[in-house]
Amino acid sequence: MTKLIDVAKAAGVSIATVSRVLNNPETVNADTQQRVQQAIKSLNFRPSRVAQRLRSKGGNSKIIGLVLPDIQNPFYVDVIRGIEEVMYEHGYAAIMCNFAQDEKRERLYLDILKSESIDGLIVAPVHGRDQKVAGLVLSGLPIVCIDRGLTGVEADVVLVDNQQGAYDAVSHLIKLGHRRIAYISGLPQIPTSRARLAGYEMAFRENELVVDEELIKYGDSKHESGMKLTEELLALPTPPTALFTGNNLITLGALETIHRQGLKIPEEIALVGFDDMYWSISLNPPLTAVKQPGFEMGKRAAELLFQRIKDPSRPTAKVVFDAKLQVRSSCGATTIKTS
Amino acid sequence: MTKLIDVAKAAGVSIATVSRVLNNPETVNADTQQRVQQAIKSLNFRPSRVAQRLRSKGGNSKIIGLVLPDIQNPFYVDVIRGIEEVMYEHGYAAIMCNFAQDEKRERLYLDILKSESIDGLIVAPVHGRDQKVAGLVLSGLPIVCIDRGLTGVEADVVLVDNQQGAYDAVSHLIKLGHRRIAYISGLPQIPTSRARLAGYEMAFRENELVVDEELIKYGDSKHESGMKLTEELLALPTPPTALFTGNNLITLGALETIHRQGLKIPEEIALVGFDDMYWSISLNPPLTAVKQPGFEMGKRAAELLFQRIKDPSRPTAKVVFDAKLQVRSSCGATTIKTS
DNA sequence: ATGAAAGCGCTAACAG
DNA sequence: CTGTTAGCGCTTTCAT
């Protein structure tokens, strides 16, 4: 590996000067700069980011951590792409950690990231009272939360108005005449699960309808739980006429169960999902779903993080995006908006 | 941040001893070890991975690089999950880089990873003659290629028999009576594109059929190109009666175009895709597709990488998985195997 | 079995 | 404007 000293020799200067042209070119004579740049180029030199990181703590190690609950969920994939987009422009890299909705795993990754001396962290905490993340925030590490906020500590956060999104979805179902509407939720300790439940209940309340608790099921937000809980729901003495699924993966699981049982959507059971996918239109039937702008959310989160790294004392921001209902045909005949 | 010296003081030993209990516990007295462990625990000490990395080059920095073409493709997501699974067990972290099929991006990321002093790299090179990756292999960095091999240099590789997979898919179509079968490929410089084309041609040859070149289209393996090329194909004077799509994303794009045009699958156009998705059964219609075991491939790749890190001189391995055709109903009525 | 000390490659005072 | 030098936190001889 070629290093500072090699470049220094080649250019006939000291390593300090080389370091300077790397970090503060303006403090170096134009022609010295030239010679050094030459040497750098011809030796194909790249400074060791590890050594840089060890030396200068905080803010210029050009690496951040990314801790997300489930990489199988296309929503998070969009978030990742958004984050990556702006990081790429800044020459940053990300250490990506997928904790698969498992708190133990989240903690391990957080420990690793900490000892990697990252510049900042974008995280969707396992739950609102995530002590590990809270501790990191308090320790001064620049952090922005995505998708899920943190209670009790100040931190930047970008998310969607989950309650309103769920409210719109369920209202849509109610308007279509449905009364027995089931909700398949993710784990209740996840803030988004609760906000979506609140939206569901609000829609009932506003229509002076009463929620039937047996129609609310909790799972772990994965495909399998979507399948299983849909089975349970369909096996009820009086099964629901409509299903509101709490996320992407649950929706796909519900669809699978419904298809396996040969039920017709929306005639025998209607379906709205939280989280849209760009191929929702190709599902059977084209899925009506609440769309979160994952890509934009990711970009915004990364921008917030960079701002906070630059100015750690700036006031925290809370960015709330709208969740929009995409009406297709899984709830009944309506105008089919092409996604 | 608590560091070696803090622990050393707390335990009344030197930093060297603390380092020893961390790395070679057996070379330390049992009771000294006890005291040090105590101190570590009570101070909640974690060694700085950055310092470790800087100091001891190669093989124990516990971080690897992951460079993949497209995180939106569920196949690579499965690969990532597989890799992550075994890395998690070993306490490793990954720097994940998604180059979005863009060679410039791939190069930047490779440079970054190099200067991060990673222990090893798992990569799906942009193309077979990727000089950057080849150079890294030659430089001695432990590397395993996934999904796509490298020509001209020896490197571990794990992939699928793409030719056979494509052959099976197209043969299936031919058996069903199709003759005008289009193939929507990814970029021709990607090895998998070529192997799948070879399978397509082989199926024609074996059935004494002749390939119509106008039915072969090349795109960039993304959703949009799937949509666009399908439009072109359908606009032909004599459009194809069947479509073989070169990957996941192309398939989804093709489906979207077909649905927008209101065509019936498989009556008006049949469809087989390369790459299965776990929700293929919920598509309209349930998709017949060639399945790659992404998760297993990822696990295998990570295992190979660990072995190579441990023993850099071991002979290179080439692991070939089978690609299996999952018959559902997008090519015509057949027994529907539940995925 | 343990400690002292020399770096890993770089940045940031501090001198000149 | 440029060079010298002291570390960043750790591992690893080399002594003891």
Side-chain angles (χ1 to χ4, degrees):
Chain A
M1 247 208 80
T2 118
K3 39 198 197 187
L4 273 192
I5 184 85
D6 302 316
V7 179
K9 276 179 188 154
V13 296
S14 76
I15 59 169
T17 300
V18 181
S19 175
R20 281 191 193 98
V21 338
L22 250 31
N23 304 298
N24 308 83
E26 65 280 4
T27 69
V28 166
N29 243 354
D31 46 323
T32 322
Q33 216 178 118
Q34 281 291 315
R35 286 210 318 282
V36 175
Q37 290 290 12
Q38 285 287 316
I40 289 179
K41 198 151 295 173
S42 76
L43 290 175
N44 191 24
F45 167 77
R46 316 240 166 238
S48 157
R49 294 167 62 115
V50 180
Q52 291 181 312
R53 206 114 50 87
L54 181 58
R55 187 52 236 249
S56 58
K57 318 248 57 175
N60 50 343
S61 63
K62 302 269 190 188
I63 195 153
I64 69 157
L66 195 50
V67 176
L68 295 175
D70 189 356
I71 200 191
Q72 274 194 286
N73 185 325
F75 165 66
Y76 291 115
V77 172
D78 283 341
V79 169
I80 293 172
R81 289 193 312 119
I83 292 171
E84 205 231 341
E85 185 79 10
V86 354
M87 293 216 313
Y88 173 74
E89 286 165 12
H90 292 243
Y92 269 65
I95 301 181
M96 233 261 318
C97 305
N98 165 225
F99 62 84
Q101 307 281 16
D102 171 1
E103 182 156 7
K104 252 202 355 245
R105 210 142 163 157
E106 189 214 29
R107 300 169 72 94
L108 172 69
Y109 281 136
L110 256 14
D111 277 340
I112 289 182
L113 289 176
K114 197 173 154 192
S115 74
E116 282 288 351
S117 307
I118 52 174
D119 278 352
L121 174 65
I122 296 179
V123 56
V126 256
H127 55 250
R129 309 204 156 276
D130 192 317
Q131 289 313 305
K132 199 90 187 178
V133 175
L136 253 23
V137 174
L138 264 22
S139 83
L141 180 68
I143 292 187
V144 4
C145 293
I146 191 154
D147 183 47
R148 310 163 177 190
L150 227 40
T151 35
V153 281
E154 286 286 299
D156 293 307
V157 55
V158 6
L159 36 60
V160 114
D161 189 337
N162 286 287
Q163 178 167 350
Q164 164 254 316
Y167 171 82
D168 290 351
V170 177
S171 297
H172 178 70
L173 252 11
I174 293 178
K175 249 174 239 135
L176 257 22
H178 290 282
R179 291 302 174 264
R180 285 189 70 72
I181 303 172
Y183 170 44
I184 303 184
S185 169
L187 296 171
Q189 61 266 37
I190 300 175
T192 50
S193 298
R194 278 211 296 272
R196 291 169 196 176
L197 176 61
Y200 169 91
E201 293 173 332
M202 188 165 90
F204 272 74
R205 211 178 313 119
E206 292 216 347
N207 287 277
E208 293 172 14
L209 260 27
V210 27
V211 171
D212 182 346
E213 293 292 340
E214 83 172 346
L215 294 184
I216 300 181
K217 297 280 186 183
Y218 294 90
D220 67 356
S221 306
K222 299 201 187 162
H223 176 248
E224 288 73 23
S225 77
M227 287 186 59
K228 215 188 84 238
L229 296 175
T230 302
E231 278 167 27
E232 290 181 23
L233 253 7
L234 294 178
L236 249 28
T238 320
T241 64
L243 221 52
F244 170 50
T245 44
N247 84 352
N248 257 334
L249 272 20
I250 297 173
T251 307
L252 260 7
L255 264 178
E256 182 161 345
T257 291
I258 295 172
H259 284 137
R260 283 190 193 286
Q261 302 204 1
L263 261 34
K264 286 237 177 320
I265 304 173
E267 293 80 1
E268 301 180 89
I269 182 128
L271 180 63
V272 208
F274 208 103
D275 288 331
D276 198 27
M277 298 151 281
Y278 68 85
W279 32 269
S280 289
I281 193 181
S282 298
L283 288 169
N284 178 19
L287 184 74
T288 293
V290 178
K291 176 176 193 149
Q292 299 193 67
F295 185 78
E296 287 72 26
M297 292 169 71
K299 283 181 68 168
R300 201 78 183 73
E303 284 158 7
L304 279 182
L305 185 60
F306 283 134
Q307 291 174 221
R308 176 150 309 284
I309 289 173
K310 233 187 272 168
D311 174 12
S313 66
R314 75 193 288 274
T316 61
K318 174 169 182 165
V319 179
V320 182
F321 282 83
D322 265 358
K324 293 210 189 68
L325 184 68
Q326 309 286 313
V327 177
R328 291 189 270 257
S329 44
S330 63
C331 298
T334 38
T335 341
I336 297 181
K337 280 193 217 155
T338 52
S339 100
Chain B
M1 246 210 80
T2 117
K3 39 200 197 184
L4 273 192
I5 184 84
D6 302 317
V7 179
K9 277 178 187 154
V13 295
S14 75
I15 60 170
T17 300
V18 181
S19 175
R20 282 191 192 99
V21 339
L22 250 30
N23 304 296
N24 308 84
E26 66 280 3
T27 68
V28 164
N29 245 353
D31 45 324
T32 322
Q33 218 177 115
Q34 281 290 317
R35 285 211 319 282
V36 175
Q37 292 289 15
Q38 285 286 318
I40 289 180
K41 198 150 295 176
S42 75
L43 291 175
N44 192 24
F45 166 77
R46 315 237 167 243
S48 156
R49 294 167 63 115
V50 180
Q52 289 181 313
R53 205 113 52 86
L54 181 58
R55 186 55 234 254
S56 58
K57 320 245 58 173
N60 48 343
S61 64
K62 301 271 189 186
I63 196 153
I64 70 156
L66 196 50
V67 175
L68 296 174
D70 190 356
I71 200 191
Q72 273 194 286
N73 185 323
F75 165 65
Y76 291 116
V77 172
D78 282 342
V79 169
I80 293 172
R81 288 193 312 119
I83 292 171
E84 205 232 339
E85 185 79 11
V86 354
M87 293 216 315
Y88 173 75
E89 286 165 11
H90 294 241
Y92 268 65
I95 302 181
M96 234 260 319
C97 305
N98 165 225
F99 62 84
Q101 306 280 16
D102 171 1
E103 182 157 7
K104 254 206 348 250
R105 211 144 164 154
E106 189 214 30
R107 299 167 74 93
L108 172 69
Y109 281 136
L110 255 15
D111 277 340
I112 289 181
L113 290 175
K114 197 174 154 192
S115 74
E116 282 288 349
S117 306
I118 52 174
D119 278 350
L121 174 66
I122 297 180
V123 57
V126 257
H127 55 248
R129 308 204 157 277
D130 191 318
Q131 289 313 305
K132 197 88 189 180
V133 175
L136 253 22
V137 174
L138 263 23
S139 83
L141 180 68
I143 292 187
V144 5
C145 293
I146 190 151
D147 183 46
R148 311 161 175 192
L150 228 40
T151 37
V153 282
E154 286 287 299
D156 293 307
V157 54
V158 7
L159 35 62
V160 115
D161 190 336
N162 287 287
Q163 177 166 351
Q164 165 253 315
Y167 171 83
D168 289 351
V170 177
S171 296
H172 179 69
L173 251 12
I174 293 177
K175 249 175 239 135
L176 257 23
H178 291 281
R179 291 302 176 261
R180 286 188 68 71
I181 303 172
Y183 170 44
I184 303 185
S185 169
L187 295 170
Q189 61 267 36
I190 299 175
T192 50
S193 299
R194 279 211 295 274
R196 290 169 197 177
L197 176 61
Y200 169 91
E201 293 173 332
M202 187 165 90
F204 272 75
R205 211 179 312 119
E206 293 216 345
N207 287 277
E208 294 173 13
L209 260 27
V210 28
V211 171
D212 181 347
E213 293 292 339
E214 82 172 348
L215 294 184
I216 300 181
K217 298 279 186 184
Y218 294 90
D220 67 354
S221 306
K222 300 201 185 162
H223 177 247
E224 288 73 24
S225 77
M227 287 185 61
K228 214 188 85 241
L229 297 175
T230 302
E231 278 166 27
E232 290 180 24
L233 253 7
L234 294 178
L236 249 29
T238 320
T241 63
L243 220 53
F244 170 50
T245 45
N247 85 353
N248 256 333
L249 271 20
I250 297 173
T251 308
L252 259 9
L255 264 178
E256 182 162 345
T257 290
I258 295 172
H259 284 139
R260 283 189 193 285
Q261 303 204 0
L263 260 35
K264 286 237 177 322
I265 305 173
E267 294 79 2
E268 301 180 89
I269 181 128
L271 180 64
V272 209
F274 209 104
D275 287 331
D276 198 25
M277 296 151 284
Y278 67 85
W279 33 268
S280 288
I281 193 181
S282 298
L283 287 169
N284 178 19
L287 183 76
T288 293
V290 178
K291 177 176 193 146
Q292 299 193 65
F295 185 78
E296 287 72 25
M297 292 169 72
K299 283 181 67 167
R300 202 78 183 72
E303 283 159 6
L304 279 182
L305 185 60
F306 283 133
Q307 289 174 223
R308 177 149 311 282
I309 289 173
K310 233 187 271 167
D311 175 12
S313 65
R314 74 193 288 275
T316 61
K318 174 171 184 165
V319 180
V320 182
F321 282 83
D322 266 357
K324 292 210 191 69
L325 185 68
Q326 309 286 312
V327 178
R328 300 199 188 85
S329 44
S330 63
C331 299
T334 39
T335 341
I336 297 181
K337 280 193 216 154
T338 52
S339 97

